[in-house]
Amino acid sequence: MNERISKRKLGSLAIAAFVGGSLLLPSNLIVSAEAESIPQQTAYIKQELRATWIASVLNIDWPSKPGLSVSTQKEEFIKYLEEQKAMGMNAVVMQIKPTADAFYPSEYGLWSQYLTGVQGKNPGYNPLSFMIEEAHKRNMEFHAWFNPYRITMPLGKTAELSDLDKLPESHPAREHPDWVIPYGQQLYFNPGIPEVQQFVIDGIMEVVENYDIDAVHMDDYFYPYKIEGVPFPDQASYKKYGASKFTNVEDWRRDNVNNLIKHINEEIKAEKSYVKFGISPFGVWRNKAVDPTGSDTAAGQTNYDDLYADTRTWINNGYIDYIAPQLYWNIGLPVADYAKLLDWWTKEVKGKNVQLYIGQADYKINTESNGVQNWFNPEEMPNQLKLNRTYKEFDGSMHFSAKDLRKNPLGVADRLSNDIYKYPALVPPMPWIDNNAPKAPNVSRSKQTGAGIQFEIQDHKHSDASYYAIYRFDGKKKGNIEDSTNLLATVHKEKKSQLFIDHTVQKGKTYIYVVTALDRTHNESKQTKQIKIKIK
């Protein structure tokens, strides 16, 4: 990606490439037959992951530029969390290893230049520890986002091995130049070398072992996007490691990626079974014209044939806990129709122990894409989110990116806050990881305090509860905690006994509250006894 900048462009260019770079559409504003199923009214759901990507490479989102003071960096990150929480988000996907570097002290990469402007320079604090703590304070999951193989961003010229000399002497790539492949304008670790795969796994496990993350996350960068007319120069490593087992380099490359994904998941689960592993691939696995089981698309590059990322194998073999395909096209686009792709991906995960999140292209809102005007339509993104919810296999969305939502193009952030994500949501549980709910907590000492209602939540001595869900009902109605509109808030568990205050009550009204406890994998307890209070 220029992180996602060039990646998102690549997605568009790949689509355009199917007719030699020119894309002819029947009109500037297009819809599909599937779009007719979009509900007119918002249907709220109780369990739904809602996340925002925060990209650090090239300072796309955070920090806003390198070299800021520690206090300014912290203020910027907290502001993002506050904004996202106000929009209804319950998770953050933070890029902590963008270019063979690290946002934490690491044995497998130097301090990131995007913190200080100088790769290897200590920023004066541990950003990863800080970010995890702040996310959890707001009861938001923290997904640690890794780029496995990229060493440099585009160098402005054709990359050569001699470019390694521009990196600090202690850089892992300089210590292992035989691991490095130049391709296009960038340097990469060679995915076909077993020692490289283990190096990637060890670097991820360093974080899993030492930090309280909720998930390990990768996106679509495995083998790099192809450059027309430029083969990836891994023939020597194929001859050494793959030729005896595979009749072609393509199958060997896919096997390299499959093995990496499989072993990352195994190592994570062996260390901390509750830590999830998810990947956000390019939105097209294979085109139907190449494989009848592929999607009805005409993408110029695809996961299977060009990036060597066989998402179907990962899903069918349980190598990942969630998949978040980047469906960065509009509803009705003939060569990559959002509605058709959504339907295809729901069928891919049906009956499998893998949750489906959708990567949403908030960065495209209010822009023209391939001559199509749909992204100037303020209903395009709301319609995509509404269409998602018509599928029972849909488990949530990831929005790219934090800074784009901050800009609030066509009022999308307001629409999330006031409509689509108006009510909080619980992250969906993963019963294949853990299916045991904690005991219900106790509530006591309820009273009106000023203009609010206060009560105490008390957990059991050996409870594995991680947070609480607070439900509120009108005192005249029978409460139902399965109705998402009754979910008032979620509160991270800080101690065995803590106070909750509801400041959103109205004078003269009667309210009923119940509380549930949830564990790290979001199994929900039974509800507590009711608290009923009339505001005077």
Side-chain angles (χ1 to χ4, degrees), residues 21-322:
S22 62
L23 181 61
L24 302 178
L25 301 174
S27 67
N28 283 342
L29 187 64
I30 50 183
V31 295
S32 63
E34 288 83 354
E36 295 178 1
S37 62
I38 298 171
Q40 294 300 306
Q41 300 297 321
T42 300
Y44 301 107
I45 57 178
K46 175 180 168 180
Q47 293 177 328
E48 174 182 66
L49 182 111
R50 303 169 182 171
T52 304
W53 275 291
I54 298 182
S56 59
V57 70
L58 301 178
N59 300 100
I60 290 176
D61 291 308
W62 182 86
S64 61
K65 60 182 180 180
L68 297 174
S69 67
V70 172
S71 61
T72 300
Q73 287 186 10
K74 289 183 174 182
E75 288 168 6
E76 284 190 350
F77 189 77
I78 288 173
K79 184 178 180 182
Y80 269 132
L81 292 183
E82 292 294 329
E83 290 172 351
Q84 292 168 27
K85 188 71 174 178
M87 288 179 218
M89 303 295 176
N90 54 25
V92 60
V93 186
M94 179 65 215
Q95 190 174 37
I96 64 168
K97 196 175 185 68
T99 54
D101 52 5
F103 273 58
Y104 49 93
S106 174
E107 295 181 18
Y108 302 92
L110 304 181
W111 281 108
S112 176
Q113 63 182 322
Y114 304 117
L115 288 166
T116 64
V118 178
Q119 193 169 64
K121 183 179 179 181
N122 191 322
Y125 75 117
N126 187 329
L128 181 55
S129 293
F130 161 75
M131 292 186 292
I132 293 171
E133 181 180 358
E134 292 298 325
H136 285 169
K137 279 182 187 177
R138 293 159 179 81
N139 204 47
M140 300 173 75
E141 279 197 335
F142 188 94
H143 294 223
W145 172 13
F146 296 82
N147 187 285
Y149 294 124
R150 181 174 58 203
I151 297 171
T152 65
M153 292 301 289
L155 301 171
K157 65 177 186 65
T158 301
E160 301 173 354
L161 275 177
S162 59
D163 292 316
L164 285 173
D165 295 339
K166 300 174 184 177
L167 301 175
E169 288 187 12
S170 57
H171 194 289
R174 288 195 64 174
E175 295 177 350
H176 301 279
D178 54 317
W179 290 1
V180 180
I181 280 186
Y183 187 63
Q185 297 183 12
Q186 295 176 256
L187 298 177
Y188 297 90
F189 286 120
N190 185 348
I193 297 178
E195 290 83 2
V196 167
Q197 294 180 29
Q198 191 59 52
F199 175 79
V200 170
I201 294 170
D202 291 343
I204 290 172
M205 290 309 300
E206 177 185 50
V207 172
V208 174
E209 292 166 3
N210 295 306
Y211 295 90
D212 191 24
I213 63 172
D214 299 286
V216 168
H217 179 92
M218 291 180 173
D219 59 353
D220 56 332
Y221 285 106
F222 296 99
Y223 280 84
Y225 281 84
K226 285 182 177 177
I227 301 169
E228 187 175 358
V230 183
F232 190 70
D234 61 350
Q235 287 300 316
S237 49
Y238 168 59
K239 184 178 180 180
K240 181 176 182 179
Y241 298 108
S244 62
K245 297 180 181 178
F246 297 90
T247 57
N248 62 75
V249 70
E250 288 81 9
D251 285 342
W252 172 69
R253 288 171 181 164
R254 278 185 283 271
D255 188 66
N256 289 331
V257 178
N258 288 344
N259 281 331
L260 177 74
I261 302 308
K262 178 177 183 288
H263 291 134
I264 288 173
N265 187 55
E266 289 174 347
E267 296 251 1
I268 290 171
K269 296 302 187 291
E271 179 66 27
K272 292 179 180 177
S273 61
Y274 59 84
V275 173
K276 298 177 278 193
F277 179 35
I279 295 177
S280 176
F282 182 70
V284 179
W285 174 67
R286 299 191 88 185
N287 293 315
K288 193 173 184 178
V290 175
D291 186 325
T293 68
S295 54
D296 186 12
T297 50
Q301 297 200 37
T302 65
N303 282 308
Y304 184 92
D305 297 293
D306 301 287
L307 305 179
Y308 308 104
D310 187 4
T311 56
R312 177 171 287 176
T313 291
W314 309 342
I315 291 170
N316 289 345
N317 289 283
Y319 293 170
I320 52 178
D321 298 304
Y322 70 76

Side-chain angles (χ1 to χ4, degrees), residues 386-411:
K386 288 180 180 181
L387 186 60
N388 292 346
R389 289 173 174 172
T390 65
Y391 289 89
K392 66 179 182 179
E393 293 84 9
F394 167 75
D395 289 299
S397 290
M398 292 183 169
H399 297 260
F400 191 83
S401 71
K403 116 180 143 177
D404 296 293
L405 284 174
R406 170 174 286 174
K407 295 174 184 175
N408 196 23
L410 299 181

Side-chain angles (χ1 to χ4, degrees), residues 336-350:
D337 184 342
Y338 180 95
K340 289 182 178 180
L341 279 165
L342 173 64
D343 184 74
W344 187 89
W345 281 102
T346 60
K347 290 180 172 64
E348 281 292 285
V349 302
K350 187 174 183 178

Side-chain angles (χ1 to χ4, degrees), residues 478-514:
K478 184 178 181 180
N480 175 16
I481 67 170
E482 297 309 315
D483 181 348
S484 62
T485 64
N486 292 323
L487 180 58
L488 177 65
T490 65
V491 181
H492 186 65
K493 177 183 170 183
E494 302 293 342
K495 48 190 176 181
K496 291 294 182 183
S497 177
Q498 58 196 88
L499 294 177
F500 175 79
I501 302 178
D502 179 8
H503 294 290
T504 64
V505 297
Q506 298 178 23
K507 187 176 181 179
K509 292 195 69 172
T510 299
Y511 296 94
I512 294 174
Y513 298 85
V514 297

